[in-house]
Amino acid sequence: MEISTDKSLLVEVARLYYDHQMSQQQIAYRLGTSRPSVSRLLQQARDEGIVRIEIIDPTQKGSQLEQSLKERFQLHKVIIVPSLKESDAQIKNRLGQAAARYLNELVYDGCTLGVSWGTTMCQVVSHMIPKSIKNMKVVQIVGGITHGEFDPHASEIIQRISENFKARSYLLLLPAIVDSVLVKQAMISDKKIKETIDIARQADILLCSVGVFKSDSLMIQADYFDSQEVNYLNQLGAIGDICSRMIDSAGDICWPELDERTVAIEMDDLKKTKYSIAIAGGEEKRDVIHAGLKGSYFNVLITDEGVAEYLLENENKITEK
């Protein structure tokens, strides 16, 4: 029998396994399929959010790895998801699930949530849990990409989060980087745009990911930098960005002139926000995450085991020197 993967079948398999305590072999016999097929269906049910497994920690300390990271970088909270040699797409899916659950617990009546964009944020949105929050605002904290083929879905992310929480949305419909400081000043002096930026800078919760600076990164593909600027950024030691602001391995802004042309909240805004949440994982992002922690831009980190172990190993090496 060929198993379809419609939602009703996923729900049935999950109920038989978790509610009725049937073994995977028993379920396979009942459905006329194989045990590996049942195992795949159960994993799919978890991946699609039909099954959520929650571990209650009475001590509220989390895992030892989470606690070690929390203490080492003086963070408010750390959430670590398994990596298990999975692909970046699978890790992003796990990060999205974890961030969506945490955000659902964190938001409260009257709060303002600031959000960046990107593929990781799309995963957060796909796992959102509907909840009505009174007088909540959701605001875009960094300008977007103007090239349609590289659209990071910034406005869609804001709109869907707003709908999820029954909140009011504020979009920042500007490029992430403009040609000159004068152009930026003219844009942000507009009454409505200034209002949006002011709301973003006063957010109670900020949720953002990090980007890696490499040849196929979104900002280079979207022609925000020409070849000379790319070379110059490499000379300056740029390793990635936080809210489109380019940083080096120490977590410092590596090109102040470029930073002055960037349309986003300031790095100091990240530092002073009550909950400044970084959600990022995967091997290629680990150095940018480390740089962000060195700069103290986040007080909450949602990442994967591989990155967490790398961060602690590197910090231990620094301590030993």
Side-chain angles (χ1 to χ4, degrees):
M1 171 182 173
E2 184 177 324
I3 297 293
S4 70
T5 54
D6 59 49
K7 302 293 185 184
S8 61
L9 179 58
L10 295 177
V11 171
E12 180 183 1
V13 171
R15 287 195 183 282
L16 291 173
Y17 187 74
Y18 292 103
D19 289 346
H20 299 283
Q21 303 295 304
M22 291 178 67
S23 69
Q24 292 185 18
Q25 189 59 56
Q26 288 172 321
I27 298 170
Y29 179 77
R30 178 166 176 162
L31 296 178
T33 186
S34 65
R35 190 201 61 76
S37 292
V38 172
S39 178
R40 285 193 294 271
L41 289 169
L42 288 169
Q43 183 59 53
Q44 186 177 344
R46 290 180 62 179
D47 291 343
E48 295 189 12
I50 291 171
V51 172
R52 295 192 182 99
I53 297 176
E54 182 178 9
I55 298 174
I56 306 300
D57 176 13
T59 67
Q60 295 297 305
K61 288 185 176 180
S63 72
Q64 186 58 52
L65 191 55
E66 289 171 341
Q67 188 66 15
S68 297
L69 267 182
K70 182 179 175 181
E71 293 173 357
R72 189 68 183 83
F73 292 100
Q74 298 182 320
L75 299 171
H76 174 72
K77 186 175 182 64
V78 174
I79 299 173
I80 297 174
V81 304
S83 47
L84 306 173
K85 297 182 180 179
E86 293 178 323
S87 67
D88 283 347
Q90 290 171 313
I91 291 174
K92 284 181 180 179
N93 180 60
R94 289 184 182 273
L95 291 171
Q97 291 182 48
R101 287 196 298 269
Y102 178 61
L103 196 59
N104 192 264
E105 298 169 1
L106 197 60
V107 292
Y108 53 90
D109 290 350
C111 73
T112 297
L113 168 65
V115 183
S116 67
W117 44 257
T119 54
T120 305
M121 289 300 141
C122 288
Q123 285 297 322
V124 177
V125 169
S126 70
H127 293 289
M128 295 295 291
I129 306 160
K131 186 176 185 179
S132 182
I133 305 295
K134 296 178 181 178
N135 302 318
M136 180 178 174
K137 298 175 183 177
V138 180
V139 60
Q140 185 176 334
I141 62 176
V142 56
I145 300 294
T146 55
H147 284 54
E149 65 269 38
F150 303 115
D151 181 14
H153 309 292
S155 59
E156 182 182 348
I157 289 169
I158 299 300
Q159 296 286 19
R160 288 183 63 184
I161 293 176
S162 300
E163 291 169 4
N164 186 85
F165 292 118
K166 305 295 187 293
R168 183 174 180 180
S169 62
Y170 294 82
L171 299 175
L172 189 57
L173 301 176
L174 294 174
I177 298 174
V178 296
D179 289 337
S180 71
V181 177
L182 289 177
V183 170
K184 175 184 171 180
Q185 289 174 343
M187 287 179 168
I188 65 175
S189 64
D190 176 83
K191 181 179 178 181
K192 289 296 182 182
I193 293 174
K194 184 178 184 303
E195 177 189 16
T196 299
I197 293 175
D198 287 344
I199 290 171
R201 298 190 65 182
Q202 296 170 24
D204 307 291
I205 306 166
L206 292 176
L207 183 66
C208 62
S209 186
V210 303
V212 179
F213 184 66
K214 57 179 186 175
S215 59
D216 62 348
S217 65
L218 186 59
M219 296 181 74
I220 292 179
Q221 290 186 64
D223 295 328
Y224 272 116
F225 308 122
D226 60 31
S227 58
Q228 288 185 327
E229 289 173 324
V230 170
N231 290 335
Y232 187 54
L233 281 165
N234 281 321
Q235 292 173 20
L236 293 171
I239 63 168
D241 73 279
I242 299 172
C243 294
S244 296
R245 296 187 182 276
M246 305 302 298
I247 60 171
D248 59 23
S249 59
D252 297 324
I253 295 295
C254 57
W255 189 2
E257 193 275 332
L258 173 66
D259 195 62
E260 290 175 1
R261 296 190 280 117
T262 303
V263 181
I265 59 171
E266 303 290 336
M267 300 301 262
D268 283 345
D269 296 325
L270 286 166
K271 293 183 179 182
K272 71 181 183 183
T273 303
K274 184 177 181 181
Y275 296 99
S276 182
I277 308 166
I279 167 175
E283 185 175 343
E284 71 170 9
K285 288 191 175 183
R286 60 190 190 182
D287 288 324
V288 190
I289 297 169
H290 197 186
L293 291 171
K294 289 177 185 177
S296 300
Y297 301 123
F298 315 116
N299 55 35
V300 176
L301 175 64
I302 303 175
T303 192
D304 66 84
E305 287 176 331
V307 170
E309 291 169 353
Y310 174 83
L311 293 172
L312 287 174
E313 287 171 6
N314 274 266
E315 283 297 300
N316 289 338
K317 289 177 183 177
I318 293 171
T319 303
E320 290 169 2
K321 287 182 180 180

